[in-house]
């Protein structure tokens, strides 16, 4: 027998995310003159923040002014600090540590970046879509489901070079960045409480 399948995402409290995103930031100087790339996640090997730092350094070397803000804590902190020092990017990379409310940082970001080797369902990317942010991510599980064929965010190969090229596209072209922000906002509506409730209701109607 053939069965139709339907996917219903976990409910994400989009109202709470938007509300929390309006809180003031006191511990990081966002600067309109210098784009800030933000990433959120546990400082663990699979998140490949080393790759993101390398991509950041490559952008600086090509003359693309940017700051990198990484929010999270974990076992890789010491290793990442050594990479930051060895790369000479102490002034442009910040490991801010764990934040119970990362949403104001996501909201104020110019770009969001995910550099992982693998993910489950990336709540960081889904929350970025809800907040209408332009996103660049390496290719890993679930990203095509979230972002389509680079429709709602740019999906790159799993290398620092490809990641930096994806980020460079948006740093170099503000109209393209704004287009991705509009697309992200539209895609983010699919993760709202209202959308989840509607899909659940439709599912139960479907199986009657």
């Amino acid at each position: 027998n053939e069965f139709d399948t339907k996917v219903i995402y976990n409910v994400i409290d989009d109202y709470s995310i938007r509300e929390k995103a309006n809180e003031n930031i006191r511990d990081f100087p966002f600067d309109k003159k210098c784009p800030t790339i933000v990433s959120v996640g546990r400082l663990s090997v699979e998140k490949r923040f080393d790759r993101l730092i390398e991509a950041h350094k490559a952008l600086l070397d090509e003359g693309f002014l940017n700051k990198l803000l990484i929010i999270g804590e974990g076992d890789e902190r010491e290793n990442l600090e050594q990479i930051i020092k060895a790369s000479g990017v102490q002034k442009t990379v910040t490991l801010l540590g764990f934040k119970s409310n990362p949403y104001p940082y996501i909201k104020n970001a110019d770009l969001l970046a995910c550099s992982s080797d693998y993910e489950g369902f990336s709540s960081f990317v889904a929350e970025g879509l809800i907040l209408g942010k332009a996103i660049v991510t390496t290719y890993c599980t679930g990203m095509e489901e979230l972002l389509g064929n680079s429709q709602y965010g740019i999906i790159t190969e799993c290398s620092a070079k490809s990641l930096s090229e994806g980020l460079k596209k948006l740093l170099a072209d503000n109209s393209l960045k704004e287009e991705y922000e509009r697309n992200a906002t539209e895609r983010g509506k699919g993760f709202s409480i209202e959308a989840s409730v509607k899909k659940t209701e439709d599912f139960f109607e479907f199986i009657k």
Side-chain angles (χ1 to χ4, degrees):
N1 292 337
E2 293 184 1
F3 295 93
D4 289 328
T5 59
K6 291 182 180 291
V7 175
I8 300 173
Y9 298 111
N10 291 336
V11 175
I12 299 175
D13 189 346
D14 56 312
Y15 297 109
S16 176
I17 288 170
R18 290 193 182 91
E19 185 178 355
K20 289 179 179 178
N22 290 324
E23 289 185 12
N24 291 329
I25 294 171
R26 297 183 177 87
D27 54 0
F28 183 80
F30 281 92
D31 182 355
K32 290 181 180 178
K33 295 178 183 176
C34 180
T36 300
I37 299 165
V38 171
S39 192
V40 179
R42 179 168 171 74
L43 305 186
S44 53
V45 174
E46 73 276 3
K47 296 295 185 182
R48 292 304 306 272
F49 289 120
D50 60 316
R51 174 186 286 153
L52 182 54
I53 294 165
E54 187 181 341
H56 162 72
K57 175 69 162 58
L59 290 167
L60 292 177
D61 289 346
E62 289 189 55
F64 287 90
L65 189 67
N66 73 102
K67 292 190 291 186
L68 174 59
L69 174 62
I70 298 173
I71 298 169
E73 198 52 81
D75 298 338
E76 278 289 285
R77 172 176 277 277
E78 187 177 339
N79 182 42
L80 294 173
E81 286 173 344
Q82 290 174 356
I83 291 169
I84 290 166
K85 187 175 180 181
S87 303
V89 291
Q90 301 97 313
K91 292 182 179 179
T92 52
V93 178
T94 302
L95 301 179
L96 200 60
F98 172 78
K99 293 291 170 184
S100 58
N101 179 16
Y103 306 121
Y105 305 92
I106 294 173
K107 181 181 177 180
N108 282 277
D110 292 278
L111 300 175
L112 301 184
C114 174
S115 50
S116 298
D117 276 334
Y118 58 89
E119 290 275 346
F121 176 84
S122 176
S123 57
F124 165 56
V125 170
E127 289 157 358
L129 291 170
I130 286 169
L131 291 173
K133 306 310 293 186
I135 300 166
V136 180
T137 178
T138 46
Y139 181 86
C140 54
T141 309
M143 291 307 176
E144 283 186 328
E145 192 175 352
L146 286 166
L147 302 177
N149 185 23
S150 286
Q151 220 174 325
Y152 305 105
I154 294 177
I155 301 174
T156 77
E157 293 177 7
C158 292
S159 71
K161 186 176 188 301
S162 293
L163 187 59
S164 69
E165 288 295 322
L167 291 164
K168 188 185 352 176
K169 283 181 183 177
L170 300 184
L171 289 172
D173 188 342
N174 196 57
S175 63
L176 181 62
K177 174 177 166 288
E178 289 175 347
E179 181 182 338
Y180 270 106
E181 288 170 345
R182 289 191 295 272
N183 292 347
T185 300
E186 191 59 35
R187 178 68 175 119
K189 292 175 183 176
F191 300 101
S192 68
I193 290 175
E194 287 179 7
S196 297
V197 169
K198 179 70 166 59
K199 285 176 184 175
T200 304
E201 289 173 345
D202 289 348
F203 171 75
F204 284 113
E205 285 296 318
F206 173 76
I207 63 173
K208 277 184 179 179

